[in-house]
Amino acid sequence: MIIIKNLLPITALCAIVVDGSAGYVQKPISLCSSQEGMAAPEKNATMISEPHKYFPTQIKHIVDAADAISPDAIGLPDDQSYPVIDISPWLNPFMSSDKEREDVVNQVLEEATTVGSFNIIGHGIDDALFDRLYTAARGFFSMSLKRKIRFSSGDNLIGYVANRNESVAAIHKSGSRKEQKDLRETFSMSSPPNNDGNVRGPHEFHNAMAEYIEQLQSVEKAIKQIFTAALSSAKGIDIPATYLKDVEEDATGLLRASRYPSTPGFEDATKLLPHSDLGTITIVASSEEGLEEIRDGRWYKVPMRKGELHVSVGEVYTMWSNGLFKNNIHRVSKEAKRDRISFPYFTSQGKRTSNPGISPICSDGEEPRFSRVSPKGHVMH
């Protein structure tokens, strides 16, 4: 049996195909608050009216509690393994069974509602592309600062940004002068790669990043379909399969090449301070370990094995799910024996539209915790 849900208006009309025959189920998506043309509901006692203040406070509280146990990250115990989920049944739906796709959804739902992160395999991206990507990035970052600055745009979201020119996690500082800016340099490209707003880097570097962005499109689509199915299952309502992708309309992703240097003398300077990503989901490739996250109340190292990608939940997905999906809190280790290259891909953070977004999706009788929000609205607040 293959179930196909096609995107229709907010009142979801879902085509269910079973052995070649089709039936139809009509059930509205339950939105916790109003859409256009409908009266806004009264705020309740649990409504979080200022998420731009709520999330920094939440993160600081959780980080302080984890640091009280130990500020240093450890590996998982021998009797535990880091969640690695094979998403290939969703990339090849006609080659997989309903049971296989359901198993993937259940695994993602478990991780998304507890820690908000997991690794994936079965994404279909060839190792040879990753090799070219890392080689080209190392070549670019090894150039002199004078040459790299030529690829700057004056905008931290496009082109080159030098070390200590950003402070992503402005809300959790130790007071150390060394921690006032992030210890990394970056080069960013928005999707699509031929976007006029992009800065074109050196030939090999540009081509590798462009090809990687193109291949990530099918991965992003599959992951958002899985999250949609997980949300539908948890809330007990019918949601069109591509809903979480389609509600973002023509917003695109942003790929960032990041180099975190190994820097003797800066052992106490965290490369990237604790934070959660602002958007929907982030997909990360990395050449080295160094990513750390809060899991079960304390800091743990995130294993990054060859061929795996790391997926983390951003704050917008937390709001759209009415708090069901947990925004993942992470940082980059201050301990590094050699340079670390990573490629985070921030979905919906490239070309941003004026789409007003959506209200939280709720189960029957569930009270809204957040107001209507879009990725652009939350990032730009």
Side-chain angles (χ1 to χ4, degrees), residues 9-30:
I10 293 302
T11 298
L13 186 64
C14 304
I16 303 180
V17 181
V18 184
D19 298 328
S21 61
Y24 294 92
V25 176
Q26 188 169 358
K27 184 176 181 180
I29 295 175
S30 179

Side-chain angles (χ1 to χ4, degrees), residues 24-43:
Y24 294 92
V25 176
Q26 188 169 358
K27 184 176 181 180
I29 295 175
S30 179
L31 296 158
C32 293
S33 60
S34 66
Q35 294 297 329
E36 292 182 11
M38 298 175 63
E42 295 183 3
K43 291 185 178 180

Side-chain angles (χ1 to χ4, degrees), residues 191-354:
S191 175
N194 61 0
N195 186 336
D196 289 340
N198 280 326
V199 172
R200 189 178 184 90
H203 181 73
E204 292 298 327
F205 190 33
H206 174 88
N207 286 350
M209 288 189 69
E211 183 178 351
Y212 184 50
I213 285 176
E214 293 299 329
Q215 293 205 24
L216 277 172
Q217 301 313 298
S218 59
V219 179
E220 176 187 349
K221 179 181 177 181
I223 291 174
K224 289 186 174 180
Q225 286 180 327
I226 295 167
F227 270 92
T228 301
L231 192 58
S232 177
S233 174
K235 301 287 185 175
I237 56 177
D238 292 325
I239 305 176
T242 58
Y243 185 70
L244 288 180
K245 176 66 173 173
D246 291 332
V247 293
E248 298 177 56
E249 294 184 345
D250 59 347
T252 66
L254 180 78
L255 178 63
R256 169 166 284 184
S258 301
R259 172 184 170 267
Y260 298 91
S262 56
T263 49
F266 287 85
E267 288 80 2
D268 61 339
T270 304
K271 303 300 195 306
L272 189 61
L273 294 166
H275 67 285
S276 59
D277 295 335
L278 297 172
T280 52
I281 57 172
T282 305
I283 305 169
V284 180
S286 180
S287 63
E288 304 285 342
E289 293 188 3
L291 184 62
E292 300 172 349
E293 67 183 8
I294 295 179
R295 181 174 284 268
D296 298 326
R298 68 159 301 156
W299 287 107
Y300 281 99
K301 299 176 181 178
V302 176
M304 295 293 291
R305 292 172 283 267
K306 188 173 183 178
E308 294 180 1
L309 296 174
H310 181 73
V311 177
S312 61
V313 173
E315 293 170 7
V316 169
Y317 262 22
T318 297
M319 291 185 282
W320 283 358
S321 66
N322 207 37
L324 177 70
F325 298 149
K326 307 305 180 186
N327 51 299
N328 177 255
I329 300 172
H330 52 275
R331 68 186 184 189
V332 174
S333 173
K334 61 187 177 183
E335 298 177 0
K337 295 181 180 178
R338 54 183 178 179
D339 292 356
R340 175 178 179 264
I341 303 289
S342 73
F343 287 89
Y345 178 72
F346 304 97
T347 65
S348 71
Q349 296 304 300
K351 177 184 176 183
R352 298 168 182 162
T353 70
S354 57

Side-chain angles (χ1 to χ4, degrees), residues 59-107:
I59 292 166
K60 188 175 190 308
H61 174 76
I62 293 173
V63 169
D64 285 344
D67 285 347
I69 296 173
S70 175
D72 299 322
I74 62 172
L76 286 171
D78 292 338
D79 60 345
Q80 296 182 31
S81 59
Y82 196 83
V84 179
I85 302 173
D86 183 354
I87 66 166
S88 59
W90 280 85
L91 281 168
N92 304 286
F94 298 106
M95 301 287 289
S96 60
S97 67
D98 290 343
K99 177 63 166 57
E100 289 172 322
R101 292 192 297 279
E102 183 181 352
D103 285 346
V104 175
V105 171
N106 289 336
Q107 291 176 69

Side-chain angles (χ1 to χ4, degrees), residues 56 60 119 147 151 157 347 363 378:
K60 188 175 190 308
N119 287 358
R147 289 185 63 192
F151 299 98
L157 292 177
T347 65
S363 56
H378 185 55

